[in-house]
């Protein structure tokens, strides 16, 4: 039987301070929960409807979490979705540890990307283009924010994250460092290596002056219309696509 205290605990995880305090986060909806069940995350609580159970019985059986078969109404009261007829799961946050860098590989570095929706979309884009490491400055949105996780559509389970002072990471990085700027080399005419760090900046301010000093290659996406700028997630997709296209042509 699902207790009121458990529901209260799950709802508290919508706030960053309680996620840190409990070292836990939650995801909801069929896609995110299914991806979580297939991942290496340690799941502690699993709430699901009869329909979700029928469709995912083997995954549920393998899961060592506390399990509760509930109604759609209970799921919606525990989570943040207005409509959820599938499942909700609570899992442990992974340790914030330095990432082992391999060669060759592309790595994303995010300088003060604060919007949860943008961060979640960037995670999904990185997953599509085969980038599985993201370095975040401390000012970036929390990876485990429900809005980030929901926007990632399950891709967060295949990403490795490290929050750190970005300038210190870049100072000690032996890879070429590319950054997105309004003024820089035309990305369509640039040589784009398979081994590099791609830096994306804040939604309104772009890459900070401190980080700009460490950029070895400034890139720009040519403008053909009148829009003032591109959304950071869209710009990330265009840049990742060009890096992969350059390698594809080789």
């Amino acid at each position: 039987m699902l207790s009121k205290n458990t529901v209260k605990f799950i709802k508290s995880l919508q706030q960053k301070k309680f996620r840190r305090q409990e070292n836990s986060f939650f995801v909801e909806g069929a896609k995110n929960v299914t991806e979580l069940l297939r991942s290496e995350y340690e799941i502690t609580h699993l709430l699901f409807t009869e329909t979700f159970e029928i469709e995912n019985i083997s995954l549920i059986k393998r899961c060592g979490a506390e399990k509760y078969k509930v109604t759609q109404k209970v799921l919606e009261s525990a989570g943040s979705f207005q409509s959820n007829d599938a499942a909700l799961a609570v899992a442990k946050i992974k340790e914030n540890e330095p990432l082992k860098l391999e060669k060759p590989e592309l790595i994303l570095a995010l300088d003060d990307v604060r919007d949860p929706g943008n961060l979640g979309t960037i995670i999904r884009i990185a997953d599509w283009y085969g980038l599985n490491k993201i370095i975040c400055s401390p000012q970036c949105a929390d990876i485990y924010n429900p809005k980030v996780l929901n926007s990632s559509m399950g891709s967060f389970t295949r990403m490795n994250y490290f929050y750190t002072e970005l300038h210190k990471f870049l100072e000690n990085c032996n890879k070429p460092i590319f950054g997105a700027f309004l003024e820089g080399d035309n990305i369509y005419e640039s040589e784009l290596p398979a081994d590099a760090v791609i830096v994306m900046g804040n939604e309104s301010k772009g890459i900070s002056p401190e980080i700009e000093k460490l950029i070895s290659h400034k890139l720009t996406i040519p403008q053909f219309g009148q829009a003032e700028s591109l959304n950071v997630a869209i710009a990330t997709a265009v840049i990742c696509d060009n890096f992969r296209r350059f390698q594809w042509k080789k």
Side-chain angles (χ1 to χ4, degrees), residues 8-140:
K8 184 179 179 180
F9 161 68
I10 294 171
K11 292 184 75 68
S12 74
L13 300 179
Q14 295 186 41
Q15 298 182 50
K16 185 176 181 178
K17 66 177 182 179
F18 290 114
R19 289 196 295 274
R20 287 184 172 179
Q21 178 180 304
E22 302 294 339
N23 194 39
S24 300
F25 69 97
F26 77 91
V27 297
E28 52 195 325
K31 176 63 175 176
N32 268 339
V33 173
T34 300
E35 295 283 7
L36 188 66
L37 287 169
R38 291 172 176 157
S39 75
E40 297 179 353
Y41 277 91
E42 178 188 350
I43 302 172
T44 59
H45 300 74
L46 179 62
L47 286 59
F48 53 88
T49 62
E50 184 174 3
T51 300
F52 184 85
E53 180 184 32
I54 293 171
E55 295 174 351
N56 300 276
I57 186 64
S58 60
L59 287 174
I60 293 174
K61 283 183 176 180
R62 292 201 301 267
C63 178
E66 294 181 20
K67 301 169 189 175
Y68 305 92
K69 185 187 292 188
V70 298
T71 63
Q72 178 175 342
K73 185 176 180 180
V74 170
L75 274 184
E76 292 166 355
S77 68
S80 61
F81 281 5
Q82 289 186 346
S83 178
N84 182 6
D85 61 356
L88 181 152
V90 177
K92 288 294 184 182
I93 290 173
K94 290 184 177 181
E95 293 292 326
N96 184 44
E97 297 178 338
L99 303 179
K100 182 179 179 181
L101 304 186
E102 301 170 352
K103 288 187 81 171
E105 66 176 343
L106 293 177
I107 296 170
L108 269 182
L110 305 181
D111 181 19
D112 195 17
V113 175
R114 300 196 177 198
D115 183 83
N118 281 337
L119 181 53
T121 303
I122 287 171
I123 291 170
R124 190 176 176 186
I125 290 165
D127 188 25
W128 178 266
Y129 286 104
L131 285 69
N132 62 12
K133 291 177 180 141
I134 300 179
I135 311 298
C136 299
S137 70
Q139 298 78 24
C140 285

Side-chain angles (χ1 to χ4, degrees), residues 123-179:
I123 291 170
R124 190 176 176 186
I125 290 165
D127 188 25
W128 178 266
Y129 286 104
L131 285 69
N132 62 12
K133 291 177 180 141
I134 300 179
I135 311 298
C136 299
S137 70
Q139 298 78 24
C140 285
D142 178 18
I143 289 288
Y144 297 104
N145 181 312
K147 291 181 180 179
V148 174
L149 300 177
N150 294 338
S151 297
S152 81
M153 293 297 289
S155 287
F156 78 93
T157 60
R158 290 179 287 276
M159 287 292 128
N160 298 294
Y161 316 97
F162 181 44
Y163 280 78
T164 188
E165 294 294 341
L166 194 55
H167 70 279
K168 292 182 180 179
F169 169 80
L170 295 176
E171 284 173 348
N172 295 292
C173 182
N174 58 6
K175 296 176 183 288
I177 301 170
F178 289 76

Side-chain angles (χ1 to χ4, degrees), residues 188-228:
Y188 302 146
E189 299 174 345
S190 300
E191 185 168 338
L192 306 174
D195 184 46
V197 177
I198 302 170
V199 181
M200 304 302 298
N202 176 268
E203 286 86 352
S204 60
K205 299 177 182 178
I207 293 173
S208 64
E210 180 183 37
I211 301 302
E212 182 178 357
K213 296 175 184 176
L214 302 172
I215 302 294
S216 56
H217 301 78
K218 293 184 178 181
L219 295 175
T220 191
I221 300 168
Q223 180 185 27
F224 295 94
Q226 300 301 313
E228 182 180 350

